Amino acid sequence: MNAMPAAQPDPMAPLRREWTRLTPAQRISRWLVWLVCAAAVLWAVRSIDIIPEFLEDAPEQMADLLVRMWPPDIAHYYPAVHEALIETLHIATLGTVFCFTLAVPLALLAARNICTIRPLNTLAQLGLVASRSVNSLVWALLFVAIFGPGAAAGVFAIAFRSVGFVGKLLSEALEETSHGPREALRASGASWGAEMLKGVWPQVQPAFWGIALFRWDINVRESAVLGLVGAGGIGLVLDDAINFFQWERVATVLLAILAVVLLAELVVTRIRARLI
Amino acid sequence: MSATMTATAPAAGLASALEIRGLVKEYVAGKPVLRGVDLAVPAEGITAIIGPSGTGKSTLIRCINRLVEPTRGSIKLHGEELTGLSGRGLRLARRRIGMVFQEYNLVERLSVMENVLSGRLGYVPLWRAWLRKYPQADIDRAFMLLDAVGLPEHATRRADALSGGQRQRVGIARALMQRPDILLADEPTSSLDPRTAVEVLELLTRLTAAEGVPVIINIHNVDLAKRYARRIVGMSGGSVIFDGPPEELETHHLRAIYGGEDWM
């Protein structure tokens, strides 16, 4: 400490502290994650055999299809497409309503602050995951086998596919509720039902209606394809038109679906904005 | 209970509303937060519990209405043992115990009126609560209490539109809505500014005196405790180490309760 060396090293050096956001181990593991991602993409591209000739004339085919579709066969809209469209909306609506009768109990069981029995939480979550892991077309195939072809199979397919989605979001909303109000009501001698009704429901209400509308919106789109496997709705009309190469009719159906989806989106955003 | 500096025994003869004997609470087995608390709360007036954070004041209060499950000991409300109750018996006992919270714990998205009426949830059947068809007598009393806490024009406002002081007034009205035999207040003024804190305590004192409801209050502010309480209970390390009227609470007591003296 007494004599300064000639090369004038910084006297503050021992006091200077270094700061880095990540430790070396973290930095390496981040690089590894990127590497794995890149490798996965490369592997995917190599393993799906893209036939170059098909890729080459795809624009041509597309143009040909569009030409065949034009002009859309508007006359075909009423009554065939119209009625199928209405049926599609009914399937979506009934399916959404029915899904809630299953999703609400499951969500209550899955929410760890509502149901404190851990095995039940896990079981309910398992149920929700199972519902989500099966695509609605697959659900529809199952229910067509059970109920025969028609709208009933569609309603059940939509309901069972939605349970997982709605139940998960609902249970998350339940878990985010603050404990204080419930505690206050419990302290005043309220029953479990009253605690749920006045302490929990007001807290999840906006989320509940938001989820319901959002899922209905999705279900309108999903139920449009259910007809492809015979579960009713506009998909059936679409399937027929494609099978008979009636491309003008296909265009009509596609436009009708587009219009309904846009309309549903519009309505849902309007209502959601008012709810929250 | 090593060195209890009981200045005066709770006025003998006057029946106590609440009697706590040998209350022990261990959140983790072998690590008691409450180490055998004995306390008798008189049938009227405010009893203030003071003590450093983490000494078990809140736990003590929550053991009374069983929001926290006591490990051992006895708690009697007007002679009725509370510790063994469960299910319906517990709910009936809780109806008689009002509670006011530090964070108010109102249901934010409900109106002030509904928050006050929710103090009756232990009494009204579920369908009435669901349809909001509370008995007229309850509605009358709710309006009366809203007048009393000075919020008559706020009945239809949503609770989340109120200020902290207003929310705590609603909290007091909700607790009194139960027509409780005793009122527990857990740090009711700690989230409020000094002036509002005094106003809220003033209100709490006045209304509970008018209804003849004894109050147990956890409070950090020793001056406020001395000003409003008829009796002070000093806790430290999970035990009661002072129990007496505010006049008898002296510096050496405070030193024993909070430790050190630099803060005084």
Side-chain angles (χ1 to χ4, degrees), chain A residues 36-189:
Chain A
V36 168
C37 289
V41 171
L42 206 67
W43 184 26
V45 171
R46 287 172 66 112
S47 66
I48 56 161
D49 274 322
I50 298 171
I51 302 170
E53 293 79 33
F54 282 15
L55 202 63
E56 230 164 76
D57 79 336
E60 211 175 300
Q61 296 288 342
M62 186 90 105
D64 183 46
L65 203 63
L66 286 176
V67 169
R68 282 165 198 267
M69 279 185 176
W70 193 261
D73 182 6
I74 303 297
H76 182 60
Y77 177 76
Y78 198 85
V81 176
H82 179 77
E83 274 164 16
L85 204 59
I86 298 295
E87 190 179 53
T88 300
L89 286 175
H90 286 332
I91 291 174
T93 308
L94 278 181
T96 310
V97 171
F98 182 46
C99 118
F100 271 90
T101 61
L102 296 169
V104 170
L106 276 177
L108 287 172
L109 286 177
R112 300 160 72 90
N113 57 342
I114 307 281
C115 168
T116 49
I117 306 163
R118 293 287 164 257
L120 276 181
N121 293 148
T122 315
L123 208 67
Q125 262 150 4
L126 208 67
L128 295 179
V129 171
S131 147
R132 259 178 298 149
S133 64
V134 179
N135 187 281
S136 46
L137 274 180
V138 180
W139 278 119
L141 281 170
L142 282 176
F143 284 112
V144 167
I146 296 168
F147 296 107
V155 169
F156 276 87
I158 288 294
F160 274 74
R161 173 63 181 80
S162 307
V163 164
F165 178 93
V166 168
K168 182 177 166 56
L169 291 184
L170 215 52
S171 77
E172 276 170 5
L174 285 168
E175 284 183 349
E176 278 164 24
T177 56
S178 76
H179 183 62
R182 282 176 65 193
E183 192 177 41
L185 297 189
R186 193 179 312 157
S188 76

Side-chain angles (χ1 to χ4, degrees), chain B residues 120 199 261:
Chain B
R120 296 305 286 179
E199 286 170 0
E261 47 193 308

Side-chain angles (χ1 to χ4, degrees), chain B residues 160-174:
Chain B
D160 52 10
L162 301 183
S163 69
Q166 290 172 327
R167 286 179 200 210
Q168 198 55 295
R169 287 159 189 262
V170 176
I172 293 170
R174 174 175 66 184

Side-chain angles (χ1 to χ4, degrees), chain A residues 179-195 197-199 201-206 275, chain B residues 62 65 67 91 94-95 97 99 101 104-107 109-110 114 118-119 121-122 126 129-130 132 134 174 178:
Chain A
H179 183 62
R182 282 176 65 193
E183 192 177 41
L185 297 189
R186 193 179 312 157
S188 76
S191 62
W192 186 85
E195 192 184 313
L197 184 70
K198 294 294 175 183
W201 169 243
Q203 292 191 60
V204 296
Q205 197 182 10
L275 273 179
Chain B
R62 276 155 201 266
N65 61 3
L67 288 179
R91 284 200 288 114
R94 279 176 173 164
R95 301 202 307 202
I97 307 171
M99 186 157 182
F101 299 83
Y104 329 120
N105 287 356
L106 303 182
V107 185
R109 291 177 44 83
L110 294 184
E114 254 206 282
S118 69
L121 285 178
L126 192 58
W130 186 40
R132 297 176 164 84
Y134 290 90
R174 174 175 66 184
Q178 288 170 239

